[in-house]
Short mmCIF file of all heavy atoms in Angstrom, two decimals:
data_model
loop_
_atom_site.label_atom_id
_atom_site.label_comp_id
_atom_site.label_asym_id
_atom_site.label_seq_id
_atom_site.Cartn_x
_atom_site.Cartn_y
_atom_site.Cartn_z
N CYS A 508 34.39 -12.98 -15.00
CA CYS A 508 35.81 -12.99 -14.68
C CYS A 508 36.02 -13.87 -13.48
O CYS A 508 36.98 -14.68 -13.39
CB CYS A 508 36.39 -11.67 -14.48
SG CYS A 508 36.54 -10.62 -15.89
N ARG A 509 35.07 -13.84 -12.54
CA ARG A 509 35.19 -14.67 -11.33
C ARG A 509 35.02 -16.12 -11.69
O ARG A 509 35.77 -17.04 -11.24
CB ARG A 509 34.16 -14.27 -10.31
CG ARG A 509 34.13 -15.17 -9.05
CD ARG A 509 32.90 -14.93 -8.20
NE ARG A 509 32.80 -15.90 -7.18
CZ ARG A 509 31.77 -16.10 -6.34
NH1 ARG A 509 30.75 -15.30 -6.48
NH2 ARG A 509 31.76 -17.02 -5.41
N ALA A 510 33.99 -16.39 -12.56
CA ALA A 510 33.75 -17.80 -12.88
C ALA A 510 34.88 -18.42 -13.69
O ALA A 510 35.17 -19.60 -13.51
CB ALA A 510 32.46 -17.81 -13.79
N HIS A 511 35.58 -17.58 -14.49
CA HIS A 511 36.67 -18.12 -15.29
C HIS A 511 38.08 -17.73 -14.74
O HIS A 511 39.07 -17.91 -15.40
CB HIS A 511 36.57 -17.56 -16.73
CG HIS A 511 35.35 -18.07 -17.47
ND1 HIS A 511 35.33 -19.30 -18.04
CD2 HIS A 511 34.11 -17.49 -17.70
CE1 HIS A 511 34.09 -19.47 -18.57
NE2 HIS A 511 33.40 -18.40 -18.44
N LYS A 512 38.02 -17.26 -13.45
CA LYS A 512 39.29 -16.97 -12.69
C LYS A 512 40.27 -16.09 -13.45
O LYS A 512 41.54 -16.34 -13.50
CB LYS A 512 39.97 -18.31 -12.32
CG LYS A 512 39.07 -19.25 -11.51
CD LYS A 512 39.81 -20.56 -11.22
CE LYS A 512 39.04 -21.40 -10.25
NZ LYS A 512 37.63 -21.75 -10.65
N SER A 513 39.75 -15.01 -14.03
CA SER A 513 40.59 -14.08 -14.73
C SER A 513 40.75 -12.82 -13.90
O SER A 513 40.02 -11.84 -13.98
CB SER A 513 39.92 -13.70 -16.06
OG SER A 513 40.74 -12.80 -16.74
N VAL A 514 41.73 -12.85 -13.02
CA VAL A 514 42.01 -11.78 -12.04
C VAL A 514 42.41 -10.46 -12.75
O VAL A 514 41.90 -9.38 -12.43
CB VAL A 514 43.07 -12.17 -10.97
CG1 VAL A 514 43.26 -11.02 -10.01
CG2 VAL A 514 42.68 -13.51 -10.30
N GLU A 515 43.34 -10.64 -13.73
CA GLU A 515 43.81 -9.40 -14.36
C GLU A 515 42.77 -8.59 -15.08
O GLU A 515 42.66 -7.40 -14.94
CB GLU A 515 44.92 -9.82 -15.39
CG GLU A 515 45.66 -8.58 -16.02
CD GLU A 515 46.75 -9.10 -16.91
OE1 GLU A 515 47.17 -10.14 -16.90
OE2 GLU A 515 47.16 -8.21 -17.76
N LEU A 516 41.89 -9.28 -15.82
CA LEU A 516 40.86 -8.59 -16.55
C LEU A 516 39.78 -8.11 -15.54
O LEU A 516 39.23 -6.93 -15.73
CB LEU A 516 40.10 -9.50 -17.56
CG LEU A 516 39.01 -8.87 -18.36
CD1 LEU A 516 39.55 -7.70 -19.20
CD2 LEU A 516 38.38 -9.89 -19.30
N ALA A 517 39.64 -8.81 -14.47
CA ALA A 517 38.65 -8.36 -13.44
C ALA A 517 39.06 -7.02 -12.84
O ALA A 517 38.20 -6.12 -12.60
CB ALA A 517 38.57 -9.37 -12.35
N GLU A 518 40.32 -6.79 -12.69
CA GLU A 518 40.80 -5.53 -12.16
C GLU A 518 40.55 -4.38 -13.13
O GLU A 518 40.22 -3.27 -12.73
CB GLU A 518 42.31 -5.61 -11.83
CG GLU A 518 42.63 -6.48 -10.62
CD GLU A 518 44.06 -6.68 -10.40
OE1 GLU A 518 44.86 -6.72 -11.34
OE2 GLU A 518 44.41 -6.87 -9.18
N LYS A 519 40.68 -4.68 -14.45
CA LYS A 519 40.37 -3.62 -15.40
C LYS A 519 38.92 -3.30 -15.44
O LYS A 519 38.46 -2.18 -15.54
CB LYS A 519 40.82 -4.16 -16.83
CG LYS A 519 42.26 -4.14 -17.15
CD LYS A 519 42.61 -4.78 -18.44
CE LYS A 519 41.92 -4.00 -19.66
NZ LYS A 519 42.20 -4.72 -20.91
N VAL A 520 38.08 -4.41 -15.27
CA VAL A 520 36.65 -4.20 -15.33
C VAL A 520 36.18 -3.47 -14.09
O VAL A 520 35.33 -2.57 -14.19
CB VAL A 520 35.95 -5.60 -15.38
CG1 VAL A 520 34.46 -5.45 -15.21
CG2 VAL A 520 36.20 -6.24 -16.77
N LEU A 521 36.83 -3.75 -12.96
CA LEU A 521 36.43 -3.06 -11.70
C LEU A 521 36.72 -1.53 -11.83
O LEU A 521 35.87 -0.71 -11.38
CB LEU A 521 37.25 -3.60 -10.53
CG LEU A 521 36.84 -2.95 -9.15
CD1 LEU A 521 35.49 -3.39 -8.73
CD2 LEU A 521 37.88 -3.40 -8.10
N ASP A 522 37.81 -1.16 -12.39
CA ASP A 522 38.13 0.29 -12.65
C ASP A 522 36.95 0.88 -13.45
O ASP A 522 36.56 2.00 -13.18
CB ASP A 522 39.49 0.46 -13.36
CG ASP A 522 40.63 0.12 -12.37
OD1 ASP A 522 40.49 0.13 -11.18
OD2 ASP A 522 41.73 -0.18 -12.91
N LYS A 523 36.59 0.21 -14.58
CA LYS A 523 35.57 0.79 -15.43
C LYS A 523 34.25 0.89 -14.70
O LYS A 523 33.52 1.94 -14.77
CB LYS A 523 35.32 -0.15 -16.65
CG LYS A 523 36.44 -0.15 -17.62
CD LYS A 523 36.39 1.06 -18.55
CE LYS A 523 37.32 0.98 -19.73
NZ LYS A 523 37.24 2.19 -20.58
N LEU A 524 33.93 -0.12 -13.89
CA LEU A 524 32.64 -0.19 -13.14
C LEU A 524 32.60 0.95 -12.14
O LEU A 524 31.57 1.67 -12.05
CB LEU A 524 32.57 -1.58 -12.46
CG LEU A 524 31.22 -2.00 -11.95
CD1 LEU A 524 31.17 -3.54 -11.74
CD2 LEU A 524 30.82 -1.30 -10.64
N LEU A 525 33.69 1.08 -11.33
CA LEU A 525 33.68 2.10 -10.23
C LEU A 525 33.67 3.52 -10.86
O LEU A 525 33.27 4.46 -10.14
CB LEU A 525 34.79 1.86 -9.28
CG LEU A 525 34.74 0.61 -8.51
CD1 LEU A 525 35.95 0.44 -7.57
CD2 LEU A 525 33.50 0.48 -7.68
N SER A 526 34.14 3.71 -12.10
CA SER A 526 34.10 5.04 -12.68
C SER A 526 32.71 5.50 -12.99
O SER A 526 32.46 6.73 -13.05
CB SER A 526 34.94 5.04 -13.95
OG SER A 526 34.37 4.28 -14.93
N VAL A 527 31.78 4.57 -13.12
CA VAL A 527 30.42 5.01 -13.42
C VAL A 527 29.50 4.68 -12.23
O VAL A 527 28.37 5.23 -12.14
CB VAL A 527 29.86 4.25 -14.67
CG1 VAL A 527 30.62 4.68 -15.91
CG2 VAL A 527 29.87 2.76 -14.53
N ASP A 528 29.96 3.93 -11.28
CA ASP A 528 29.13 3.57 -10.13
C ASP A 528 29.98 3.29 -8.97
O ASP A 528 30.24 2.14 -8.53
CB ASP A 528 28.25 2.35 -10.46
CG ASP A 528 27.17 2.06 -9.41
OD1 ASP A 528 27.09 2.78 -8.47
OD2 ASP A 528 26.43 1.09 -9.58
N SER A 529 30.46 4.32 -8.33
CA SER A 529 31.46 4.17 -7.23
C SER A 529 30.87 3.56 -5.93
O SER A 529 31.67 3.09 -5.08
CB SER A 529 32.08 5.60 -6.91
OG SER A 529 31.08 6.45 -6.43
N GLU A 530 29.55 3.58 -5.84
CA GLU A 530 28.94 2.99 -4.62
C GLU A 530 28.36 1.58 -4.81
O GLU A 530 27.59 1.13 -3.99
CB GLU A 530 27.78 3.88 -4.16
CG GLU A 530 28.22 5.37 -3.87
CD GLU A 530 29.18 5.42 -2.64
OE1 GLU A 530 28.90 4.82 -1.60
OE2 GLU A 530 30.23 6.11 -2.85
N ASN A 531 28.82 0.96 -5.90
CA ASN A 531 28.30 -0.42 -6.16
C ASN A 531 28.92 -1.44 -5.26
O ASN A 531 30.04 -1.88 -5.44
CB ASN A 531 28.63 -0.75 -7.68
CG ASN A 531 27.89 -2.00 -8.14
OD1 ASN A 531 27.90 -3.02 -7.46
ND2 ASN A 531 27.36 -1.89 -9.33
N MET A 532 28.16 -1.79 -4.24
CA MET A 532 28.69 -2.70 -3.22
C MET A 532 28.96 -4.08 -3.75
O MET A 532 29.89 -4.75 -3.39
CB MET A 532 27.60 -2.78 -2.08
CG MET A 532 27.90 -3.72 -0.97
SD MET A 532 27.40 -5.40 -1.17
CE MET A 532 25.65 -5.24 -1.30
#
Side-chain angles (χ1 to χ4, degrees):
C508 290
R509 176 191 172 189
H511 294 282
K512 300 180 174 59
S513 178
V514 181
E515 185 178 343
L516 182 59
E518 290 175 329
K519 285 174 60 179
V520 172
L521 183 67
D522 289 340
K523 290 280 191 180
L524 195 161
L525 296 179
S526 69
V527 295
D528 189 2
S529 61
E530 301 297 312
N531 191 313
M532 181 271 298

